[in-house]
Amino acid sequence: MKTAHKTRSEMIAETRAKLIAAGRKAFATVGYTNASMDDFTAEAGLTRGALYHHFGDKKGLFESVLAQIDQEMSSRLDAISAKAKTRWQGFLDENIGYVEMALEPEIQRIVLRDGPAVLGDPAQWPNANACISAITRNLAALKEEGVIRDIDPEAMARLISGASLYAAQWIANSDDPGATSKKAVKAFRGLMEGLLVDGKRAS
Amino acid sequence: MKTAHKTRSEMIAETRAKLIAAGRKAFATVGYTNASMDDFTAEAGLTRGALYHHFGDKKGLFESVLAQIDQEMSSRLDAISAKAKTRWQGFLDENIGYVEMALEPEIQRIVLRDGPAVLGDPAQWPNANACISAITRNLAALKEEGVIRDIDPEAMARLISGASLYAAQWIANSDDPGATSKKAVKAFRGLMEGLLVDGKRAS
DNA sequence: TAATTGACATACGTAGCGTATGCAATTATT
DNA sequence: AATAATTGCATACGCTACGTATGTCAATTA
């Protein structure tokens, strides 16, 4: 007969997972500074003792939460670009996907707002922001293939993700998200088409 | 004989100014959360009592500090665009000026890093809206003059200011702000040139 | 079965925020 | 001019939340 108990390492993993989940929820809803460690650890049936043991401090847990979210975003974006027929199309789709993810409150709060304030520049995060590096790789490849003009991929990736983020927030806060979304996506496409080499431009 | 004393309202204004100055300095050097109200009010020869009286709470003082900095940035940007020969050049200079301000540590810390975490989405700040409408007007005029392609001015203004803001944050958080700034400005120029009608493009 | 490790809880000290209250100086009232 | 009302700011207090130091019990190992 098998033991009904879980093995010790399973228990530990479960505790870590519970803490990450509880922290993630608290960070997303009330923000990093307003999230009380006593409160959300209790909500997970634990205490701050467990948190300090596994993550060192509040910031340490936040890093783990961020890493988890980052990974999820990354795989979602990969799935989007994998579907596209051309690299250029995949690039466009991926960015629009990013805009849509930036609409999610959890991502807005944890990744885009509190993240930089707590941990500094996303590029220096332990799991370097996967989204930006994905855009960077795409731009580099597109440049290599002669599809877009000669620009610095990383710098352009930053500008583009900033534009996406702002577009998302504009949409999120607008009275008519549907209509605003249409305008934003069209303008975004226009901005991106400006990167194409002359021969490939439509307008 | 005239009284050596200042009038009461002058004293009050002076107190407010002292608090704003002390807070600004503390926020700039150690950051919002690490700035102890007891410490920096004492440094101004006052107590937290004065702060609560005038600004309600720590966040209230932060808003006032931010408003002051915003105003300074705004007038600097006006001065920049006033100097330009053409509207297009003024448009470029103003945006690049904004990106370059991100090199200043005080702006880095207060406006770009702590600001969003403490007060929320920068797009909703009063000054950001003023900035966006300025860009929108510029874009509309440039379109009218046939300098740039046919795009929705407001939507594009949002994207551009998002790109600028993100570029600024990238610079603010980078290890070598000088070098990063160069890359960012160049990429930004490239992105903007994509908006020009075909005949006016250099690349 | 005795010893040891380690996962997690408990207990304590401290810093910092917000509020309630106090006071003194200015302004208003008669 | 004398008293009353206002208010700018300080003082005092309680509370929350963080970090550390220590305790404890289960699981592993010898």
Side-chain angles (χ1 to χ4, degrees):
Chain A
M1 86 174 235
K2 317 184 168 158
T3 160
H5 291 321
K6 293 165 187 169
T7 167
R8 173 152 248 231
S9 59
E10 281 174 339
M11 292 295 292
I12 294 171
E14 196 178 313
T15 296
R16 283 183 60 96
K18 272 197 253 181
L19 286 172
I20 290 178
R24 176 169 174 167
K25 186 178 161 196
F27 294 148
T29 51
V30 300
Y32 179 78
T33 47
N34 293 328
S36 160
M37 295 163 74
D38 277 324
D39 288 356
F40 70 73
T41 52
E43 204 170 317
L46 296 159
T47 67
R48 278 183 308 128
L51 191 155
Y52 279 102
H53 182 73
H54 286 292
F55 301 97
D57 59 358
K58 194 180 187 182
K59 197 193 279 191
L61 175 65
F62 187 75
E63 280 175 22
S64 294
V65 168
L66 207 47
Q68 188 181 69
I69 298 177
D70 206 41
Q71 211 162 342
E72 290 171 11
M73 290 175 69
S74 181
S75 57
R76 284 171 66 185
L77 288 181
D78 284 350
I80 289 174
S81 66
K83 267 191 250 169
K85 297 246 163 44
T86 68
R87 185 185 296 280
W88 174 250
Q89 191 59 46
F91 172 72
L92 282 180
D93 291 347
E94 204 169 316
N95 277 289
I96 291 169
Y98 183 71
V99 171
E100 280 164 6
M101 288 199 290
L103 285 169
E104 298 165 28
E106 187 185 50
I107 290 175
Q108 277 187 23
R109 183 90 211 209
I110 296 180
V111 180
L112 305 172
R113 227 159 83 192
D114 288 347
V118 177
L119 300 179
D121 177 24
Q124 328 264 327
W125 292 352
N127 294 37
N129 194 322
C131 299
I132 289 189
S133 56
I135 299 176
T136 303
R137 280 195 307 275
N138 259 326
L139 284 171
L142 286 165
K143 189 168 95 170
E144 200 66 31
E145 294 169 6
V147 178
I148 61 172
R149 294 184 283 135
D150 181 28
I151 44 87
D152 179 49
E154 190 194 356
M156 189 56 73
R158 302 264 169 187
L159 297 178
I160 290 171
S161 75
S164 306
L165 170 61
Y166 239 53
Q169 288 174 344
W170 179 39
I171 295 167
N173 292 306
S174 87
D175 294 332
D176 183 355
T180 305
S181 174
K182 271 200 167 62
K183 282 204 278 186
V185 168
K186 192 176 171 195
F188 183 80
R189 212 178 279 274
L191 191 62
M192 292 304 98
E193 277 170 4
L195 296 178
L196 292 169
V197 295
D198 289 358
K200 313 230 177 195
R201 292 178 75 190
S203 73
Chain B
M1 82 174 236
K2 357 178 138 147
T3 161
H5 291 323
K6 294 166 183 167
T7 166
R8 171 150 250 234
S9 59
E10 282 174 336
M11 294 294 293
I12 294 170
E14 196 178 312
T15 297
R16 282 182 62 93
K18 273 198 253 183
L19 287 172
I20 290 178
R24 178 168 172 167
K25 186 179 159 195
F27 294 148
T29 50
V30 300
Y32 179 79
T33 46
N34 293 328
S36 159
M37 297 164 73
D38 278 323
D39 288 356
F40 70 73
T41 52
E43 204 171 317
L46 296 159
T47 67
R48 277 183 308 128
L51 191 154
Y52 279 102
H53 182 72
H54 286 292
F55 302 97
D57 60 356
K58 193 181 187 182
K59 196 193 277 190
L61 175 65
F62 188 76
E63 279 174 23
S64 293
V65 168
L66 204 49
Q68 189 182 66
I69 297 177
D70 263 351
Q71 211 160 345
E72 290 171 11
M73 291 176 70
S74 182
S75 56
R76 284 170 66 183
L77 289 181
D78 285 349
I80 288 174
S81 67
K83 264 192 248 163
K85 297 247 162 47
T86 68
R87 184 186 298 280
W88 172 251
Q89 193 59 46
F91 173 72
L92 274 183
D93 291 348
E94 201 170 319
N95 278 290
I96 290 170
Y98 179 70
V99 172
E100 280 175 347
M101 283 189 199
L103 288 170
E104 298 163 30
E106 189 184 47
I107 290 176
Q108 286 178 16
R109 185 88 206 209
I110 297 180
V111 180
L112 304 173
R113 247 177 79 178
D114 288 347
V118 176
L119 300 178
D121 175 19
Q124 311 296 318
W125 298 353
N127 188 74
N129 288 329
C131 187
I132 284 174
S133 58
I135 297 176
T136 303
R137 281 195 306 276
N138 259 328
L139 285 172
L142 285 166
K143 189 168 96 169
E144 200 66 31
E145 293 167 5
V147 178
I148 61 172
R149 294 184 280 135
D150 181 30
I151 45 85
D152 179 49
E154 190 194 356
M156 190 56 73
R158 302 267 170 184
L159 297 178
I160 290 170
S161 86
S164 304
L165 180 69
Y166 232 54
Q169 285 176 343
W170 180 37
I171 295 168
N173 293 309
S174 90
D175 290 333
D176 183 355
T180 304
S181 173
K182 272 202 167 66
K183 284 202 277 188
V185 166
K186 194 174 171 200
F188 185 80
R189 208 181 283 275
L191 191 62
M192 292 304 98
E193 277 169 5
L195 296 178
L196 291 168
V197 296
D198 288 358
K200 312 232 177 195
R201 293 177 78 191
S203 73

